[in-house]
């Protein structure tokens, strides 16, 4: 039979098996040592917070989405729009790319095709097929 950390006499009689990659486990163990905690202690703390807050106790987001979107938006703004704000069309392409629904080549192709189209219309030049 196991008991909780310092001063808590609540019996622990349930087990959880967690599979995780080795690198994450090693890094987590190193960080938790600074708090004098084991991974099982950290999982226990996390689950208690889930219960207390009736949800995940921190914001869950996709940071690569935000980063990819901002980086591509900057590139589009500087290279394609002369430093201006991207159009609604460009924003939609950027969102598709940032959500990994299209790859970078497709995003660049779609944006460059739209820019070529708008330039030819502005200059009233025929569009080659």
């Amino acid at each position: 039979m196991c008991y909780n950390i310092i001063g808590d006499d609540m019996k622990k009689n349930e087990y959880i098996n967690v599979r995780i990659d080795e690198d994450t486990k090693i890094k987590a163990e190193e960080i938790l040592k600074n708090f004098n905690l084991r991974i099982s202690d950290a999982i226990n703390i996390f689950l208690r917070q889930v219960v207390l807050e009736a949800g995940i106790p921190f914001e869950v987001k996709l940071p690569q989405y935000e980063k990819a979107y901002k980086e591509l938006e900057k590139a589009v703004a500087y290279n394609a729009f002369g430093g201006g704000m991207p159009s609604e069309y460009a924003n939609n392409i950027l969102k598709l790319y940032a959500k990994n629904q299209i790859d970078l080549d497709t995003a660049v192709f779609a944006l460059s095709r739209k820019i070529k189209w708008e330039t030819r219309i502005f200059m009233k030049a025929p569009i080659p097929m």
Side-chain angles (χ1 to χ4, degrees):
M1 200 171 298
C2 301
Y3 290 92
N4 205 350
I5 56 178
I6 308 174
D8 188 352
D9 59 356
M10 184 187 307
K11 291 181 185 177
K12 293 182 183 180
N13 55 7
E14 294 296 320
Y15 292 91
I16 296 175
N17 290 324
V18 179
R19 297 190 62 79
I20 191 160
D21 65 277
E22 184 179 11
D23 188 48
T24 301
K25 180 181 180 258
I26 290 169
K27 288 177 182 177
E29 284 174 331
E30 289 174 12
I31 293 167
L32 291 170
K33 278 181 191 176
N34 295 322
F35 298 98
N36 212 17
L37 294 171
R38 297 168 302 192
I39 288 185
S40 60
D41 298 326
I43 292 170
N44 195 11
I45 290 168
F46 169 74
L47 292 175
R48 285 176 178 246
Q49 287 298 309
V50 167
V51 171
L52 287 171
E53 295 188 24
I56 296 177
F58 49 82
E59 183 179 1
V60 178
K61 59 184 177 178
L62 301 173
Q64 72 265 16
Y65 168 82
E66 293 174 17
K67 181 179 178 186
Y69 179 78
K70 294 215 182 292
E71 290 302 315
L72 193 57
E73 184 179 45
K74 276 192 250 179
V76 168
Y78 285 104
N79 295 328
F81 299 101
M85 292 301 297
S87 66
E88 184 178 345
Y89 173 82
N91 274 326
N92 288 335
I93 297 299
L94 295 172
K95 287 176 186 173
L96 290 172
Y97 170 73
K99 292 178 181 177
N100 287 327
Q101 293 177 343
I102 60 173
D103 63 7
L104 179 61
D105 292 340
T106 304
V108 171
F109 174 79
L111 292 170
S112 63
R113 184 170 173 85
K114 177 76 170 174
I115 292 165
K116 287 177 187 173
W117 177 266
E118 290 173 350
T119 303
R120 292 187 191 282
I121 289 174
F122 179 75
M123 298 172 71
K124 297 184 180 179
I127 298 171
M129 294 292 174

